[in-house]
Structure formats: structure tokens, C-alpha cells
């Protein structure tokens, strides 16, 4: 048995656009993902988020399910377009009502609410004003943060400002596979900086309005390894590591942006004004770490996988979670860490009626939790773990084709059925140990 510390927090995570549906309900405005989904060819299976898991209407039943699994915490995100639907900036109280009911129901079930303010569903009206490329968005994020934290306050145990700003800036503005589908690296540099500035500006506001809540940010990391010791591969690995793994954490810990090129372009940093780096380096209570896989880097092309892969084609590299946490603890800045996402899409073909016997997913979780436990034993202050994801859900450009859930969702009937991995995770939580 691999035992976890007594107070270890076991949770599961989701995000608003991926599960809520109800995109037209109660005054919600359009998001960039609604617009992107309507763009022919943008979503591989041609689907959208209009219904998703219909969590907006089924949250009570969903929270009862969380309680039946013994979850101690639930990580969710708030849909900015429900709170500030249009350019007038008026606050939509009905949107706040929904999240307050969600939080109250979680608390009534003894589940700690872990909220993320921004998990990619930007209001379309802000994108119409140049989105994250326009520095004015920082003020809009501040306004939104005040409204949310002003209403939910200390009922929420923990606030994360952003989820995976790398993905927002890179996939949304450089590479174009995510909303808003733009393809300019200069826009991505500007977006990255304004995301970080919005984060750093929001931190003291959250502290003021929710003095007992923990405040942090959620970053994703994909450790980069060179395919060979060819200098070109080593250089490409450094560039990848800087852009994907250090670009956000290093300004946050006060080291500023990594130097050198990314995608062979050097950023002139003209968007960085006096005081910005100090704002971005606001002290945090925790760093949320999303870890799924590693990457092997080759200057002139893709490297075929040499390890078993998930249904996303991502290599399964469990020791990466230990190595990564050890590296991040080396910054000597964060008082605590949470794994805010870890999990896998699997083909889920072993079906018995609606029941999925996903032993491949059980193995993934078991191996990663065992490595995580080793990091804790080595002294890294990791306080909790959130499986991604509680439900099968809308996997962005892949639509509903990739299933990450502990709980199967039948997208025709919207029936929820815990998979073998959910029952296994329930037993892990009950035992506070992995066998
Ligand atoms: O589904 C996403 C989530 O929204 C952000 N982190 C990675 C997950 C799997 O791709």
C-alpha cells in the first residue's frame, strides 16, 4: 500500500464550457468557443458546447454523484460570458446565482469548492476588441474577478486565476487550433503577457474579497527531452521548454521571461511596461500543476512515440510527474502544490451496457499516483490531486470523440455511469492509499 498524508485532498476537475451546456440560458453571452464551434472544420467531429453534459441543469445530481465517490474537493471553472455577457460590462446576477447555488450545494455535501476564473471561454465581445492581445483586457478581467469573488467570497476554498495560459496564448493565437483561431506568434506573445498581467492584477483583489481563500494559478507542463544530442535538437528542446514550461512560471516566481527564441522568433517585449513584472510576481499560496505526458523534441519533425500512448497519442510517462514537481519545488517559491489535472483519454471500448471497464485508465492513475507519492516522500509539499476529468466531456477541437472521464456520459441520453476507474478512485479516497 502507498499511503498518502492524512489531510491529502482528493478531487476531480472539470471546466465550464466542457460540461455545462445551456449556452443560451439565463442571460449568458456568446463565448469565443461558441463562435469557434460554428466555424466549419474547426471542431473535428463538428460538435459544439450547446448541450455538452448539461451540467448546468443537472448540477445537483452531479454533486450527489461526486459525494457518492467520496470526493473531498471539486475543481470547476466559471464561465465569464455568464457573468459579463456584453460590452456594457453589466453584471448578470443570474450567472452569479448559478455558481452560488453550485458552491452552496457542494458545501452542503462536504465537498470543498475549488474555482478557476478563466478556463478559456472568453466572452466574444472581448475578442471583438482584440481579445488577450489588447492590454485593456486586464481591466475587464479585474471587473469580472470583483463580481465573482465579491459574490462567492470565502465560500470558495481556493481560487485559481487562470487555467493553462500557455494553451490560451499558443493554441488560440499562434497555432489556431483553439478559439479564437488566430495564427500570429506576435499576437501570442502579447496574449501571454496580458494573461499573466491579468493574473497578477487579480491576486490582491481575490485576497481582499476572500481573505480566507487560497489563491494561485494553474499551469500545464509537458517536460521536453531531446531526440538526440545533435545541437539542432538540443536547441529546439530548449526553445520548447522555454515556451511551453517556463514562460509562465518564471515571471510568476520573479525571474522574468525566458530569454532566446521561441519557434525561432525572439520577442522584443514591447508590451512589457514598467511595473508589470512586479505585478505578475504577486506571491501565491499554491501552484496548480496540470501534467499529462512528456514530449521528445526534434528540430526537423515529429518523433514517433516509444512509450505506450493514450487515445490522444500522448506518451504515458508516469515518472514525469515526480520529476516535474521536484523541478518546480526547486524554484523555492511556492508554499504548496496541487495536481489540478492528471488523467487520460482512453478508447473506452470495453463496454458492458453503459459500464466501462477501463483498466487502462486505472493503470494510468495508479502509476501516476505512485510517482506523486514518491515526490511527497521526497519533501515536495503536494497537498492534493484532482483527476481529469470527472466526466467525459467536450475535448475542445476534438469535440466529444476523446473521453477523459471517470464517469461515462451517454451523449444521447445524458446518462452518467461511473466507470471502473471511478470505483477504483472511490476506494483510493476511502483508503487514502493506492494499492
Ligand atoms: O480537456 C483539457 C482541459 O480543458 C485542460 N487541460 C488538458 C485537458 C485534456 O486535454
Amino acid at each position: 500500500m502507498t499511503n498518502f498524508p492524512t489531510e491529502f485532498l482528493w478531487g476531480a476537475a472539470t471546466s465550464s464550457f466542457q460540461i455545462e451546456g445551456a449556452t443560451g440560458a439565463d442571460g449568458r453571452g456568446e463565448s469565443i468557443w461558441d463562435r469557434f464551434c460554428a466555424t466549419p472544420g474547426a471542431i473535428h467531429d463538428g460538435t459544439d458546447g450547446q448541450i455538452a453534459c448539461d451540467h448546468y441543469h443537472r448540477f445537483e445530481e452531479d454533486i450527489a454523484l461526486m459525494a457518492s465517490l467520496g470526493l473531498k474537493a471539486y475543481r470547476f471553472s466559471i464561465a465569464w460570458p455568464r457573468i459579463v455577457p456584453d460590452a456594457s460590462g453589466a453584471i448578470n446576477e443570474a450567472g452569479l446565482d448559478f455558481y452560488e447555488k453550485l458552491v452552496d450545494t457542494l458545501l452542503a455535501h462536504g465537498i470543498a469548492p475549488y474555482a478557476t476564473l478563466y478556463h478559456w471561454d472568453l466572452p466574444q465581445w472581448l475578442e471583438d476588441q482584440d481579445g488577450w492581445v489588447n492590454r485593456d483586457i486586464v481591466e475587464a478581467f479585474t471587473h469580472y474577478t470583483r463580481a465573482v469573488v465579491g459574490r462567492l467570497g470565502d465560500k470558495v476554498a481556493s481560487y485559481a486565476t487562470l487555467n493553462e495560459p500557455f494553451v490560451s496564448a499558443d493554441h488560440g493565437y499562434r497555432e489556431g487550433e483553439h478559439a479564437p483561431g488566430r495564427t500570429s506568434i506576435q499576437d501570442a506573445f502579447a496574449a501571454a503577457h496580458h494573461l499573466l498581467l491579468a493574473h497578477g492584477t487579480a491576486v490582491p483583489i481575490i485576497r481582499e474579497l476572500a481573505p480566507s481563500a487560497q489563491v494561485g494559478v494553474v499551469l500545464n507542463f509537458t517536460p521536453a527531452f531531446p531526440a538526440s544530442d545533435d545541437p539542432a535538437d538540443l536547441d529546439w528542446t530548449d526553445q520548447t521548454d522555454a515556451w511551453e514550461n517556463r514562460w509562465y512560471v518564471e515571471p510568476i516566481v520573479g525571474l522574468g521571461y525566458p530569454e532566446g527564441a521561441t519557434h525561432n522568433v525572439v520577442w522584443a517585449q514591447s508590451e512589457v511596461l514598467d511595473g508589470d513584472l512586479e505585478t505578475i510576481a504577486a506571491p501565491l499560496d499554491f501552484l496548480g500543476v496540470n501534467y499529462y505526458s512528456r514530449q521528445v523534441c526534434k528540430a526537423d519533425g515529429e518523433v514517433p512515440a516509444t512509450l505506450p500512448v493514450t487515445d490522444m497519442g500522448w506518451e504515458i510517462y508516469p515518472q514525469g510527474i515526480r520529476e516535474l514537481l521536484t523541478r518546480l519545488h526547486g524554484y523555492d517559491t511556492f508554499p504548496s502544490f496541487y495536481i489540478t489535472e492528471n488523467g487520460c483519454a482512453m478508447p473506452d471500448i470495453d463496454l458492458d451496457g453503459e459500464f466501462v471497464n477501463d483498466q487502462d485508465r486505472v493503470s494510468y492513475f495508479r502509476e501516476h499516483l505512485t510517482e506523486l507519492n514518491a515526490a511527497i516522500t521526497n519533501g515536495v509539499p503536494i497537498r492534493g490531486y484532482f483527476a481529469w476529468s470527472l466526466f467525459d466531456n467536450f475535448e475542445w477541437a476534438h469535440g466529444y470523440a476523446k473521453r477523459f472521464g471517470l464517469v461515462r456520459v451517454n451523449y444521447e441520453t445524458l446518462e452518467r455511469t461511473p466507470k471502473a476507474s471511478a470505483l477504483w478512485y472511490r476506494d483510493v479516497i476511502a483508503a487514502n492509499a493506492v494499492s
Side-chain angles (χ1 to χ4, degrees):
M1 287 289 253
T2 306
N3 294 305
F4 279 78
T6 317
E7 297 301 318
F8 196 74
L9 194 78
W10 296 101
T14 64
S15 87
S16 45
F17 192 80
Q18 292 180 274
I19 65 164
E20 283 179 0
T23 49
D26 299 333
R28 176 188 178 278
E30 187 186 17
S31 87
I32 55 173
W33 275 93
D34 300 309
R35 183 72 65 94
F36 193 64
C37 289
T39 309
I43 309 299
H44 305 176
D45 64 1
T47 55
D48 58 40
Q50 288 185 54
I51 298 175
C53 303
D54 198 30
H55 172 73
Y56 189 84
H57 296 118
R58 295 164 192 251
F59 73 92
E60 285 167 316
E61 159 198 341
D62 289 342
I63 292 172
L65 176 56
M66 294 174 209
S68 76
L69 297 176
L71 295 186
K72 310 279 184 232
Y74 172 54
R75 176 174 175 245
F76 61 98
S77 76
I78 292 159
W80 190 346
R82 290 198 193 280
I83 313 300
V84 194
D86 62 47
S88 73
I91 300 300
N92 176 32
E93 297 298 330
L96 291 172
D97 292 346
F98 169 70
Y99 292 107
E100 191 167 18
K101 274 186 284 172
L102 179 81
V103 164
D104 287 344
T105 309
L106 287 166
L107 292 173
H109 283 80
I111 299 171
Y114 273 58
T116 299
L117 291 169
Y118 184 67
H119 194 129
W120 309 352
D121 42 358
L122 187 72
Q124 180 61 41
W125 67 265
L126 277 162
E127 177 57 23
D128 294 342
Q129 298 174 14
D130 216 8
W132 287 105
V133 177
N134 181 346
R135 189 180 172 98
D136 292 348
I137 199 167
V138 174
E139 204 182 313
F141 187 70
T142 303
H143 175 63
Y144 160 64
T145 299
R146 278 195 182 284
V148 172
V149 186
R151 173 72 87 90
L152 302 180
D154 286 330
K155 286 186 190 179
V156 165
S158 164
Y159 287 95
T161 51
L162 308 175
N163 179 74
E164 302 186 0
F166 161 73
V167 177
S168 299
D170 182 79
H171 295 17
Y173 289 86
R174 182 192 69 83
E175 185 254 339
E177 209 204 312
H178 278 193
R182 290 162 65 170
T183 52
S184 151
I185 194 160
Q186 295 301 338
D187 286 352
F189 287 137
H193 182 62
H194 297 143
L195 280 154
L196 278 171
L197 196 57
H199 153 78
T201 306
V203 169
I205 295 170
I206 302 170
R207 292 201 187 286
E208 173 203 327
L209 297 173
S212 314
Q214 299 275 297
V215 186
V217 66
V218 171
L219 305 180
N220 63 305
F221 299 90
T222 310
F225 297 89
S228 77
D229 55 10
D230 181 320
D233 289 348
L234 295 176
D235 175 59
W236 190 246
T237 307
D238 279 351
Q239 290 201 32
T240 304
D241 190 51
W243 179 234
E244 299 197 16
N245 297 321
R246 296 168 46 214
W247 205 265
Y248 299 85
V249 72
E250 295 208 339
I252 285 172
V253 303
L255 294 174
Y257 288 100
E259 287 179 0
T262 185
H263 293 276
N264 297 321
V265 179
V266 177
W267 177 40
Q269 300 202 11
S270 50
E271 292 85 356
V272 182
L273 306 186
D274 278 356
D276 285 3
L277 292 175
E278 288 73 20
T279 301
I280 289 168
L284 301 178
D285 299 316
F286 71 93
L287 177 66
V289 175
N290 292 358
Y291 174 79
Y292 289 90
S293 184
R294 69 165 187 178
Q295 57 192 317
V296 179
C297 302
K298 190 166 171 53
D300 58 1
E302 303 262 304
V303 185
T306 53
L307 299 174
V309 296
T310 70
D311 202 32
M312 298 293 279
W314 298 347
E315 286 190 329
I316 301 174
Y317 184 65
Q319 63 265 49
I321 203 167
R322 172 173 45 80
E323 294 165 354
L324 171 64
L325 268 296
T326 305
R327 172 178 167 182
L328 294 171
H329 189 43
Y331 285 120
D332 205 14
T333 300
F334 299 107
S336 67
F337 297 92
Y338 289 81
I339 299 300
T340 34
E341 289 181 26
N342 173 240
C344 54
M346 288 294 181
D348 282 2
I349 44 181
D350 194 2
L351 281 174
D352 174 9
E354 288 295 308
F355 181 72
V356 183
N357 190 12
D358 56 342
Q359 295 304 323
D360 44 7
R361 187 174 283 107
V362 170
S363 300
Y364 180 100
F365 281 127
R366 180 188 285 114
E367 288 165 16
H368 284 78
L369 283 170
T370 303
E371 291 288 345
L372 188 67
N373 192 279
I376 297 171
T377 304
N378 291 344
V380 185
I382 303 158
R383 306 293 184 223
Y385 176 89
F386 291 82
W388 184 271
S389 180
L390 180 61
F391 299 116
D392 290 339
N393 60 46
F394 179 79
E395 178 54 24
W396 308 111
H398 297 277
Y400 297 95
K402 302 294 176 191
R403 291 179 178 267
F404 274 89
L406 292 165
V407 175
R408 171 177 167 82
V409 176
N410 178 320
Y411 292 118
E412 279 165 26
T413 62
L414 296 171
E415 188 185 350
R416 282 87 159 118
T417 310
K419 303 178 191 177
S421 56
L423 305 181
W424 176 85
Y425 193 49
R426 178 196 62 192
D427 294 347
V428 166
I429 297 171
N432 200 33
V434 174
S435 60

